[in-house]
């Protein structure tokens, strides 16, 4: 793998004036920053519509695009919003996403913009070429027509036409804005890596439109749901609650739904991370109705059968296998046979005294290394919360002998740049050296996640010359 480095930051975390990051001017300035620092990769979180807890990992549609990322000033320039409407959407705080306000106000504003579109033909062509996106739009319009109820309880089968067109407009507009932004990034030498949540939500267009592809009973309710067993993150495991795939049914048409999903993701991105890749080898099945993940069991997944089905779509693209968690020899063999690079996380390197694979000296070129992921504490928070013993081990490992360990972070980051990992990804909070109050997600805790944002002033506190120099010295 060509040696590179990049930064992990979701679009929602970008600065701006309208309650959440967007695909507008700040995103281009962010790409300029990456290029000036010698970074060649921008990694984002899933683009799909987030759930009621603001998580993009449990969405109403795997093929959806979050309307809140649409750039409002762009709509004004197109004549689809007025100056007054734009001003009314101005945020109250720049430091966190205003999710409540977005839920209450943003789609109504976008609906007004959709009503002013004169030429609908490009939107029709987009939907014809992306039938799963069209199904998502219809699902969301029907959901509104049914008072927000889950699809299994719907009684109204005709959507409001204005609502349907609003959803169709937002998906098309996002797609167009993103295509321009990605072209800008690629021209600057920056590739963008997306993220595929392995599972979808029960109350989603994916299950509604493809019920036979999921393990449901005669009442269309899940018979078992997804999660992971107790681990480092959560003593009761994680009860995700997503319906499980009917892999034997998916196999009948050569995993067509998965091939369509991968094709859509690779139309958006230069590569993708497949979340919870180990679930393709064996997945954790929890009986429906359980309140924790403790009583689940491992069930054989599709393995290389699915990988072979999607591999032709992946030529020339970087596909990252998220092989974290409970990893068995069988999972390691699947990662090896797939040819996809796995992940290594510095914060997992010091959870025991073993010579474990997450210590940087064990990274090989064919892996993607992180100081932490979106599910980890920040590097600063992690070091502060370590035991004295483990902190001494980390500092010795990174050859830091300063009297004040508060200044150790450049040594830790430099150790990661020096590693053999082909691709190094640093979360934006670790470039800024911010503490645990800025972490984006705490697994097992539904409150207070996903809202972190940076400001433009904070971005320019980062020493770009230092990272440009490290990228040059270590040939990244």
């Amino acid at each position: 793998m060509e040696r590179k480095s990049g930064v992990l930051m979701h679009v929602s975390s970008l600065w701006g004036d309208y309650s959440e990051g967007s695909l507008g001017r700040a995103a281009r300035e962010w790409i300029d920053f990456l290029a000036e620092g010698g970074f060649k990769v921008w990694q984002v979180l899933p683009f799909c519509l987030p759930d009621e807890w603001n998580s993009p990992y449990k969405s109403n549609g795997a093929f959806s695009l979050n309307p809140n990322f649409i750039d409002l000033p762009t709509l004004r320039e197109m004549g689809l919003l007025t100056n007054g409407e734009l001003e009314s959407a101005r945020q109250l705080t720049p430091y966190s996403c205003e999710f409540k306000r977005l839920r209450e106000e943003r789609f109504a504003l976008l609906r007004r913009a959709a009503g002013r579109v004169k030429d609908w033909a490009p939107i029709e062509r987009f939907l014809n070429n992306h039938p799963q996106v069209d199904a998502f739009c219809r699902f969301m319009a029907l959901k509104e027509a049914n008072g927000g109820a889950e699809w299994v309880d719907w009684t109204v089968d005709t959507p409001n036409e204005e609502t349907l067109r609003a959803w169709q407009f937002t998906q098309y507009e996002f797609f167009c804005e993103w295509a321009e932004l990605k072209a800008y990034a690629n021209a600057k030498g920056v590739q963008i890596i997306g993220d595929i949540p392995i599972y979808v939500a029960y109350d989603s267009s994916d299950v509604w439109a493809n019920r036979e592809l999921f393990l449901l009973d005669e009442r269309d309710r899940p018979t078992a749901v997804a999660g992971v067993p107790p681990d480092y993150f959560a003593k009761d495991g994680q009860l995700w609650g997503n319906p499980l795939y009917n892999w034997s049914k998916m196999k009948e048409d050569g995993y067509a739904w998965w091939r369509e999903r991968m094709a859509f993701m690779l139309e958006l991105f230069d590569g993708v991370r497949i979340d919870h890749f180990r679930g393709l080898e064996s997945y954790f099945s929890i009986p429906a109705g359980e309140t924790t993940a403790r009583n689940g069991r491992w069930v054989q997944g599709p393995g290389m059968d699915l990988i072979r089905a999607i591999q032709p779509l992946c030529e020339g693209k970087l596909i990252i296998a998220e092989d974290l968690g409970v990893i068995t020899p069988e999972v390691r063999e699947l990662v090896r046979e797939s040819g996809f690079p796995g992940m290594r996380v510095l914060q997992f390197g010091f959870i025991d005294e073993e010579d474990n694979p997450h210590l940087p000296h064990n990274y090989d070129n064919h892996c993607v290394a992180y100081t932490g992921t979106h599910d980890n504490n920040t590097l600063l928070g992690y070091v502060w919360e370590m035991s004295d013993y483990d902190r001494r081990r980390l500092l010795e490992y990174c050859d830091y002998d300063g009297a004040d360990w508060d200044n150790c972070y450049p040594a830790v980051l430099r150790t990661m740049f020096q590693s053999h990992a082909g691709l190094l990804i640093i979360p934006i909070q670790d470039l800024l050296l911010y503490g645990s109050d800025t972490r984006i997600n705490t697994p097992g805790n539904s409150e207070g996640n996903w809202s972190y944002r940076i400001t433009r002033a904070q971005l320019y506190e980062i020493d770009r010359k230092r990272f440009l120099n490290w990228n040059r010295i270590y040939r990244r």
Side-chain angles (χ1 to χ4, degrees):
M1 187 190 304
E2 179 186 351
R3 287 175 63 81
K4 296 179 182 177
S5 69
V7 181
L8 170 62
M9 183 175 70
H10 199 28
V11 171
S12 60
S13 295
L14 284 164
W15 64 95
D17 297 324
Y18 302 101
S19 300
E20 188 170 31
S22 78
L23 307 180
R25 184 176 63 184
R28 283 168 171 73
E29 193 170 354
W30 162 246
I31 290 166
D32 293 342
F33 167 85
L34 291 173
E36 290 164 6
F39 297 107
K40 297 176 183 175
V41 172
W42 175 17
Q43 185 171 342
V44 297
L45 300 183
F47 275 5
C48 48
L49 189 72
D51 68 4
E52 66 271 27
W53 303 109
N54 310 309
S55 170
Y57 288 90
K58 194 175 182 182
S59 174
N60 288 123
F63 292 81
S64 65
L65 300 168
N66 188 347
N68 295 336
F69 292 170
I70 292 172
D71 185 56
L72 298 186
T74 296
L75 297 186
R76 180 187 59 185
E77 292 166 9
M78 295 167 64
L80 300 180
L81 291 180
T82 67
N83 290 335
E85 287 168 337
L86 189 65
E87 187 61 30
S88 71
R90 194 169 292 276
Q91 67 201 18
L92 301 177
T93 175
Y95 299 110
S96 61
C97 298
E98 297 176 332
F99 290 129
K100 182 176 184 294
R101 186 179 179 200
L102 287 166
R103 279 192 293 272
E104 293 172 351
E105 301 177 11
R106 183 56 57 87
F107 192 73
L109 183 62
L110 295 172
R111 187 197 298 258
R112 289 201 292 275
R116 295 163 181 157
V117 173
K118 298 289 190 270
D119 183 6
W120 204 259
I123 299 176
E124 289 287 355
R125 287 194 294 272
F126 167 73
L127 295 170
N128 288 337
N129 291 330
H130 300 87
Q132 295 282 2
V133 178
D134 193 30
F136 164 76
C137 296
R138 187 162 295 275
F139 173 87
M140 293 303 293
L142 282 168
K143 187 172 178 63
E144 180 184 278
N146 284 274
E150 289 189 334
W151 62 265
V152 74
D153 297 321
W154 288 353
T155 57
V156 178
D157 59 7
T158 303
N160 176 279
E161 189 64 25
E162 183 184 358
T163 303
L164 176 59
R165 287 171 71 87
W167 278 107
Q168 292 171 336
F169 162 74
T170 63
Q171 299 305 287
Y172 171 75
E173 179 60 25
F174 183 117
F175 188 85
C176 292
E177 289 187 17
W178 177 251
E180 291 184 8
L181 185 64
K182 180 178 177 293
Y184 182 85
N186 291 166
K188 291 276 186 174
V190 175
Q191 294 183 309
I192 305 178
I193 305 300
D195 197 309
I196 298 181
I198 186 173
Y199 293 119
V200 301
Y202 172 67
D203 191 27
S204 67
S205 61
D206 310 293
V207 181
W208 169 70
N210 307 280
R211 292 167 222 187
E212 73 282 359
L213 301 182
F214 297 86
L215 296 179
L216 308 178
D217 63 20
E218 65 281 356
R219 298 179 300 116
D220 285 333
R221 298 285 186 180
T223 57
V225 296
V228 290
D231 62 7
Y232 173 78
F233 283 125
K235 65 178 181 179
D236 287 328
Q238 297 178 47
L239 179 62
W240 297 337
N242 310 76
L244 296 172
Y245 296 113
N246 185 342
W247 287 116
S248 60
K249 184 66 177 178
M250 285 187 157
K251 184 175 181 178
E252 291 178 7
D253 62 4
Y255 305 96
W257 183 88
W258 265 96
R259 285 188 282 110
E260 191 172 357
R261 188 182 188 191
M262 182 63 75
F264 181 61
M265 290 295 103
L266 293 178
E267 189 177 6
L268 294 170
F269 302 109
D270 298 299
V272 292
R273 186 192 81 125
I274 301 178
D275 178 57
H276 196 59
F277 187 85
R278 70 98 56 243
L280 302 182
E281 191 283 319
S282 293
Y283 57 92
F284 202 61
S285 174
I286 305 164
E290 290 286 332
T291 57
T292 75
R294 286 188 173 275
N295 295 322
R297 65 187 181 94
W298 291 103
V299 180
Q300 190 70 42
M304 278 302 299
D305 205 32
L306 172 64
I307 301 303
R308 280 189 285 269
I310 64 174
Q311 274 179 330
L313 302 167
C314 302
E315 292 294 328
K317 301 283 190 174
L318 175 63
I319 310 298
I320 302 171
E322 191 266 280
D323 55 345
L324 306 175
V326 181
I327 302 303
T328 64
E330 291 79 10
V331 176
R332 284 191 283 271
E333 176 58 22
L334 179 63
V335 175
R336 186 200 65 77
E337 192 175 355
S338 74
F340 303 151
M343 291 174 57
R344 300 293 179 264
V345 181
L346 176 70
Q347 292 189 27
F348 297 153
F350 296 90
I351 59 176
D352 55 38
E353 295 198 56
E354 302 296 319
D355 185 25
N356 83 48
H358 294 284
L359 289 169
H361 69 270
N362 285 324
Y363 302 166
D364 60 26
N365 174 261
H366 195 62
C367 79
V368 183
Y370 298 75
T371 49
T373 72
H374 66 274
D375 283 333
N376 288 100
N377 202 344
T378 67
L379 178 62
L380 176 59
Y382 166 70
V383 174
W384 267 87
E385 295 175 15
M386 294 177 89
S387 68
D388 289 341
Y389 175 74
D390 285 337
R391 190 184 301 113
R392 284 195 298 273
R393 291 174 58 214
L394 171 67
L395 300 184
E396 181 181 18
Y397 187 93
C398 297
D399 196 28
Y400 179 79
D401 57 5
D404 184 357
W405 59 263
D406 284 0
N407 297 314
C408 73
Y409 305 102
V412 177
L413 291 174
R414 188 164 190 162
T415 297
M416 296 295 286
F417 274 85
Q418 291 170 332
S419 76
H420 287 294
L423 175 58
L424 169 65
I425 299 290
I426 308 292
I428 182 61
Q429 296 95 321
D430 293 352
L431 291 190
L432 288 160
L433 297 181
Y434 282 177
S436 58
D437 58 325
T438 65
R439 70 181 292 172
I440 196 164
N441 183 49
T442 303
N445 181 5
S446 60
E447 301 284 351
N449 295 320
W450 312 110
S451 64
Y452 170 70
R453 293 179 76 189
I454 67 170
T455 67
R456 185 176 184 274
Q458 289 170 345
L459 181 73
Y460 286 99
E461 292 173 0
I462 297 172
D463 186 351
R464 281 171 291 175
K465 290 184 179 179
R466 167 188 281 172
F467 292 106
L468 179 63
N469 196 39
W470 285 353
N471 280 314
R472 177 186 60 80
I473 291 172
Y474 302 116
R475 300 296 189 268
R476 293 194 180 279

